[in-house]
Amino acid sequence: MFEIKYLIRIFVVLLFYVSPLKAQILTDYGKGYESWLPAATPDDAMLLGNGEMGAMVFGHPHNETIIVNHSDIYLPTGLPVKPITQTKRLDEIKKLILNGNGTDAAKIPIEISKEEGYKGQAWSDPYVPAFDIHINLTPGNIEKYKRALNFETGEAVVSWIQNGNNFERTQFISRADGVFVIRIKSSAPFDVQFDFDRRPVAWNEWDYVNSNYKNTKFFAQSSFLNFQTEFVHQWQGNIAGYEGVGKVIAKDGVVTETGNAVFVKNTREVFLFVKVEAHKMGESFGTEALKKKLNALSTDYNLLLDAHKKIHSEMFNRVSLNLNGDENDKKLDSEVMRQEAKKRSSAAFVEKQFYAARYNILSATGKNVPHLQGIWGSSLTPPWSSDYTHDGNLPVAISSFLCSNMPELMSSFFDYHDARMNYYRDNATKLYGCRGIMLPSHSSSHGWNVHFDPIWCLTFWTGGAAWTAHFYYDYFLYTNDIDFLEKRAYPFMKEAALFYEDFMTLDKNGKYVFNPSYSPENNPANNPSQATVNATMDVVLAKELLHNLIHSGKILKENSAQITKWQNMLAKLPNYEVDSTGALREWLWPGYTENHHHRHLSHLYGMYDIIDPDIAANPVLWNGVKKALDERMKVRRAENGGIMVFGMVQLAWVAANLGDAEMVQDIVQWLSAQYWSNSMATFHDPNGLFNMDLSGGFQTVIIRSLLYSEPGLVSVLPAKPPMWESGSIAGIKARNQLNVNELIWNRSEITISLKSEIKQRITLKFPTNVTSISVAGKNGKVRGFDKNKSTAIIEIPANTEVNLNMLTQ
């Protein structure tokens, strides 16, 4: 009996170590990718994140580098400077702009900055990587190499056969435990060395590093690895440094400290746990506390992964998209898929990119809102400081949080802005002598508006608070959270409006004038300066804000005098206009001519999200939007998409709201073909410039083409690309507290399942080829079916699923 038990134990051990460690890395090839070679650059690294820590995993078997990131690490490159006292020369600025001399007006802020001690152009503090992890294994002959990332679980796997033995490295960053978990496992004993190191510094970066990093040290101590950095420039309330601690645990073999590294000899399974934390001025490194957290972790890998999946997978899997993509296309290695996407359209590619975008933006969001690179970065000097860019990038990056059913991610956005209200008040006071708040176009560590130059005269952009207020109010429209509206959204919106109350002046016709005004990065064709009067974007932002305040004020029982004041302000805003060609004007001031050859389309803001009711009600303006969109698309077609992908996303939003399915299809094909890396990270420009704007915006494009909502209205398949003849989407959200449990379509019918938290009546708008609509089952009622208007009134009981069936011809 003893011999039998002994033999069984030997057999089990041999089976474990000889058989492949993972029979299949991906269970759903549409929700992850595989690659047949390691990443050559950080752009192609596998991305991991839990919303606080991030990692870029190259996937090298023997000499691996993993770049570690943390959402708090913005390098202070100096003590923050306050906004310039622009108000002292504001009258001069306004007069110059009114006289058509925006060029000289834009020089005045530069002159003031020099007088007030600015040392050249100020930038936001840059987002920088924390450190590198190096993992070195004994080299050998490699076969059947593969790396893969599972979007559903957030787990990255590197596997290979070396000298006949199976090797597997698995890693994820836990949302449950807040720790980066790395496990290496093999069917035969191996040696491995771990160390932490700073990111490589180029020869021309050392002056920059030495002037901003006070000290950096990395060392090993027993089975622990440490990385510590303090910054030169420290100020109250901001981070002063950070620390990373790693713990090496071997299930067998010998662990020793070797210089700055931890060496493990003759092991079959080893773990590295890593945690990073930043500390503020006046605080010290928390080494012992970090060690205590790591020591408390289980070494049961599946237990750790399951705890993470319980949070990550639940959020990720709330939404599903099925465009009936080809299964063989889904199984293509990521490098092959990327090249194939440049040659041909594939519903399978769009499905996988939808899930990749969802994974990327979910992984990047948590403690903080995603910056230009999400939560990742490999450079000490990233493009645009990898900051929060409020005049386009950030609104696109967060655009999918509500409609794609991840509303809790919005908390980081609101927390960021609420914490910087005093900075925004300073901007309003110092730059314009106004009450209320004003957002900068760029920010990171603080919220002062200090980034501008003579071309991009960004102290003249006043619309940031109103655009941000849109998301506060929209959260209420999706959730009907009255407490949030009263305590967070409404106060923010009121302060944004208070700025306009002081800033806007009246012309001789009793209409408000926005001066200075700014349509992001564009200038009229007949004027070289971006400093203008009455940019349409400024007008539509103020209009939306006032509309939303009036509605909110009525809900919250605001006093009638205040509501009347907002109504009077609304009535005095400039009217929209079209030019001689019929295109919606970008500047609502006499003399300016349109400049369509541009990547931004800020004057179409009223069609980005909720359709501006003034545009919807006026056929001239509606056609004006179409004309303006067509002109922008001429530029994009000439450049086969072109740079600045978030502008492409905004084009798709406008096209979808116009019901232009063909144009949406063209844009989706461009987005699918050119703006993805081998690791399914997203790019800012065709085939390059790592950036997460599209990861936020791609989901929104797909969802908006399939479902549009506004208070009291849901529109089904408003701009579905023709090539998606059949398909389904499930789990998305709509305004009016509606959950769209499932939307299914094919050539002959459309079905939609709606569930509301409240009893309500909505207008359902449907495609023009729908011939009838009915309720399947006893729940809900259809009233007022109007085929000519393609609408019906739907009565929805509270907390009950209503299934609607529409037949098409």
Side-chain angles (χ1 to χ4, degrees):
M1 181 65 71
F2 173 80
E3 291 178 353
I4 293 173
K5 287 183 178 180
Y6 183 71
L7 289 172
I8 290 173
R9 287 176 184 174
I10 293 175
F11 175 76
V12 170
V13 170
L14 288 173
L15 180 66
F16 177 79
Y17 284 125
V18 174
S19 62
L21 301 174
K22 271 190 183 286
Q24 187 175 343
I25 295 172
L26 298 178
T27 56
D28 184 341
Y29 283 93
K31 296 180 180 178
Y33 68 85
E34 293 181 348
S35 172
W36 58 276
L37 76 170
T41 70
D43 287 357
D44 293 331
M46 295 185 289
L47 302 180
L48 299 176
N50 67 348
E52 181 174 4
M53 289 175 61
M56 308 177 80
V57 181
F58 284 68
H60 292 284
H62 298 142
N63 299 300
E64 173 68 307
T65 295
I66 299 175
I67 303 170
V68 179
N69 300 108
H70 190 281
S71 62
D72 283 341
I73 303 178
Y74 291 87
L75 174 64
T77 55
L79 298 179
V81 292
K82 291 186 176 182
I84 60 172
T85 316
Q86 181 175 277
T87 185
K88 67 184 179 184
R89 296 183 65 181
L90 190 57
D91 288 343
E92 183 182 354
I93 289 170
K94 290 182 176 183
K95 185 176 180 180
L96 285 167
I97 295 174
L98 284 172
N99 290 333
N101 191 0
T103 300
D104 284 346
K107 293 177 182 177
I108 291 175
I110 309 302
E111 295 169 5
I112 298 172
S113 71
K114 292 178 180 178
E115 295 168 4
E116 297 184 355
Y118 277 51
K119 298 176 182 178
Q121 186 183 39
W123 267 100
S124 308
D125 288 335
Y127 184 78
V128 295
F131 53 85
D132 286 355
I133 299 173
H134 294 150
I135 304 174
N136 295 302
L137 278 76
T138 304
N141 294 322
I142 288 179
E143 300 174 84
K144 297 184 179 179
Y145 170 88
K146 184 178 290 185
R147 66 179 177 122
L149 179 61
N150 187 322
F151 301 149
E152 289 188 278
T153 65
E155 183 186 28
V157 180
V158 184
S159 65
W160 68 95
I161 295 176
Q162 180 171 316
N163 299 332
N165 298 307
N166 296 301
F167 280 79
E168 179 183 85
R169 173 157 50 86
T170 52
Q171 48 256 299
F172 65 94
I173 304 181
S174 174
R175 277 192 179 265
D177 296 308
V179 171
F180 186 13
V181 177
I182 302 171
R183 181 185 69 173
I184 308 173
K185 201 171 183 180
S186 176
S187 58
F190 62 93
D191 300 342
V192 60
Q193 178 175 293
F194 301 93
D195 69 77
F196 291 170
D197 199 356
R198 73 192 321 160
R199 286 294 294 143
V201 179
W203 66 270
N204 58 350
E205 291 180 328
W206 277 110
D207 287 345
Y208 168 82
V209 168
N210 291 332
S211 62
N212 293 305
Y213 288 88
K214 186 176 182 179
N215 59 62
T216 296
K217 56 183 179 180
F218 38 93
F219 54 92
Q221 191 174 46
S222 183
S223 61
F224 286 95
L225 294 168
N226 291 76
F227 188 99
Q228 297 177 342
T229 283
E230 286 188 289
F231 301 136
V232 171
H233 308 290
Q234 301 183 14
W235 43 280
Q236 197 64 43
N238 193 45
I239 69 166
Y242 63 90
E243 177 177 25
V245 175
K247 179 176 176 61
V248 177
I249 303 172
K251 289 292 186 75
D252 53 5
V254 180
V255 179
T256 58
E257 169 192 334
T258 306
N260 292 328
V262 172
F263 183 75
V264 183
K265 185 176 181 60
N266 208 34
T267 185
R268 286 186 172 89
E269 183 178 8
V270 63
F271 286 84
L272 174 63
F273 297 147
V274 181
K275 190 167 181 62
V276 182
E277 285 188 357
H279 65 270
K280 294 186 177 181
M281 182 178 177
E283 299 174 349
S284 58
F285 293 116
T287 308
E288 293 308 313
L290 289 174
K291 286 182 176 180
K292 186 175 181 180
K293 291 178 182 178
L294 297 181
N295 282 330
L297 292 171
S298 168
T299 55
D300 184 329
Y301 182 84
N302 290 330
L303 187 68
L304 294 170
L305 181 61
D306 286 346
H308 166 66
K309 286 163 57 178
K310 188 174 182 181
I311 302 172
H312 172 93
S313 301
E314 188 279 326
M315 293 178 71
F316 179 86
N317 284 321
R318 288 176 190 171
V319 170
S320 62
L321 175 70
N322 178 17
L323 300 177
N324 294 308
D326 184 277
E327 290 299 319
N328 290 323
D329 278 354
K330 293 179 185 180
K331 293 179 180 179
L332 293 176
D333 285 343
S334 60
E335 293 85 1
V336 177
M337 174 183 154
R338 184 183 177 195
Q339 295 307 314
E340 285 295 308
K342 298 178 190 303
K343 303 174 188 176
R344 60 185 175 91
S345 300
S346 168
F349 298 165
V350 173
E351 285 179 34
K352 183 171 284 198
Q353 289 161 342
F354 178 91
Y355 287 122
R358 184 173 182 82
Y359 169 81
N360 293 342
I361 209 67
L362 168 60
S363 300
T365 310
K367 184 176 184 182
N368 289 326
V369 71
H371 54 71
L372 289 174
Q373 297 181 153
I375 200 172
W376 302 282
S378 60
S379 173
L380 298 174
T381 54
W384 301 291
S385 289
S386 192
D387 65 7
Y388 301 115
T389 305
H390 303 285
D391 62 358
N393 304 76
L394 183 58
V396 170
I398 67 168
S399 63
S400 61
F401 289 175
L402 293 171
C403 64
S404 75
N405 200 0
M406 297 187 287
E408 59 267 58
L409 297 185
M410 289 299 299
S411 296
S412 60
F413 180 79
F414 302 135
D415 291 346
Y416 180 86
H417 289 297
D418 287 354
R420 285 161 177 76
M421 290 294 281
N422 285 334
Y423 290 111
Y424 300 160
R425 295 182 184 113
D426 288 346
N427 295 335
T429 301
K430 296 275 286 181
L431 295 173
Y432 289 99
C434 294
R435 297 169 295 168
I437 56 175
M438 178 193 177
L439 262 70
S441 61
H442 293 265
S443 69
S444 60
S445 304
H446 58 79
W448 280 328
N449 190 336
V450 297
H451 176 71
F452 51 87
D453 67 21
I455 304 299
W456 287 272
C457 40
L458 294 171
T459 60
F460 296 169
W461 185 59
T462 58
W467 198 347
T468 300
H470 163 87
F471 292 100
Y472 278 80
Y473 184 69
D474 212 28
Y475 183 85
F476 166 70
L477 291 183
Y478 274 89
T479 65
N480 200 35
D481 186 337
I482 297 292
D483 190 63
F484 175 85
L485 178 68
E486 180 180 9
K487 295 178 180 177
R488 300 191 74 174
Y490 195 57
F492 188 96
M493 294 160 67
K494 287 177 73 173
E495 289 214 50
L498 191 61
F499 173 84
Y500 285 126
E501 189 175 327
D502 292 349
F503 169 73
M504 298 184 299
T505 58
L506 291 171
D507 66 11
K508 61 183 180 181
N509 298 315
K511 289 291 187 179
Y512 281 126
V513 176
F514 293 75
N515 183 18
S517 193
Y518 186 79
S519 192
E521 301 188 18
N522 200 10
N523 58 277
N526 61 343
N527 191 311
S529 177
Q530 296 173 15
T532 57
V533 181
N534 281 8
T536 302
M537 182 187 213
D538 283 339
V539 176
V540 68
L541 282 166
K543 182 177 290 189
E544 179 190 53
L545 173 67
L546 291 169
H547 269 300
N548 294 344
L549 265 173
I550 292 165
H551 184 254
S552 301
K554 291 177 179 178
I555 293 172
L556 298 172
K557 310 300 182 185
E558 178 65 83
N559 69 75
S560 59
Q562 181 62 70
I563 291 178
T564 300
K565 177 187 285 187
W566 290 329
Q567 289 171 333
N568 290 336
M569 290 173 66
L570 188 60
K572 295 175 183 177
L573 290 173
N575 298 320
Y576 302 143
E577 301 172 5
V578 298
D579 71 357
S580 59
T581 70
L584 188 74
R585 295 191 67 202
E586 191 162 353
W587 298 273
L588 305 174
W589 194 253
Y592 293 136
T593 58
E594 297 306 296
N595 182 10
H596 295 298
H597 195 89
H598 203 267
R599 59 198 175 276
H600 283 263
L601 55 149
S602 303
H603 57 314
L604 303 186
Y605 173 87
M607 296 291 287
Y608 281 3
D609 203 341
I610 294 179
I611 297 172
D612 188 309
D614 291 342
I615 295 174
N618 188 326
V620 173
L621 296 178
W622 187 265
N623 290 327
V625 172
K626 287 184 178 181
K627 176 66 174 174
L629 185 65
D630 286 340
E631 292 297 329
R632 285 301 204 271
M633 283 295 288
K634 288 178 183 178
V635 178
R636 291 292 185 172
R637 287 193 172 100
E639 298 175 353
N640 195 26
I643 65 171
M644 203 189 82
V645 74
F646 81 76
M648 293 276 289
V649 169
Q650 292 167 340
L651 282 168
W653 294 348
V654 177
N657 283 347
L658 288 171
D660 193 334
E662 293 282 357
M663 187 178 291
V664 171
Q665 179 167 288
D666 288 346
I667 296 171
V668 168
Q669 288 174 339
W670 280 331
L671 294 176
S672 178
Q674 301 188 92
Y675 299 90
W676 302 84
S677 75
N678 289 334
S679 66
M680 303 202 74
T682 47
F683 288 144
H684 183 274
D685 299 333
N687 306 309
L689 194 51
F690 185 94
N691 172 270
M692 284 295 130
D693 298 345
L694 181 58
S695 287
F698 194 71
Q699 284 188 95
T700 319
V701 170
I702 305 304
I703 293 171
R704 187 76 58 78
S705 73
L706 301 176
L707 191 103
Y708 167 82
S709 66
E710 62 182 50
L713 173 73
V714 171
S715 179
V716 177
L717 304 184
K720 178 187 66 66
M723 64 182 178
W724 303 343
E725 292 183 352
S726 63
S728 66
I729 191 166
I732 60 175
K733 281 187 173 291
R735 296 176 180 93
N736 311 296
Q737 288 182 265
L738 281 172
N739 294 311
V740 182
N741 291 348
E742 192 165 39
L743 170 61
I744 308 171
W745 69 92
N746 56 44
R747 290 182 177 182
S748 60
E749 64 180 337
I750 304 166
T751 61
I752 185 169
S753 298
L754 300 173
K755 190 173 183 179
S756 171
E757 297 177 22
I758 57 172
K759 180 182 178 180
Q760 62 175 307
R761 175 181 289 190
I762 64 163
T763 298
L764 185 75
K765 186 173 178 60
F766 42 78
T768 56
N769 64 341
V770 168
T771 58
S772 67
I773 180 171
S774 60
V775 174
K778 298 180 180 180
N779 299 322
K781 293 180 180 179
V782 177
R783 307 285 192 187
F785 175 80
D786 189 329
K787 188 178 185 308
N788 293 327
K789 293 182 179 179
S790 298
T791 60
I793 305 301
I794 310 298
E795 294 181 357
I796 307 175
N799 299 311
T800 304
E801 185 173 79
V802 174
N803 298 302
L804 303 171
N805 181 259
M806 290 162 269
L807 298 180
T808 61
Q809 61 183 11

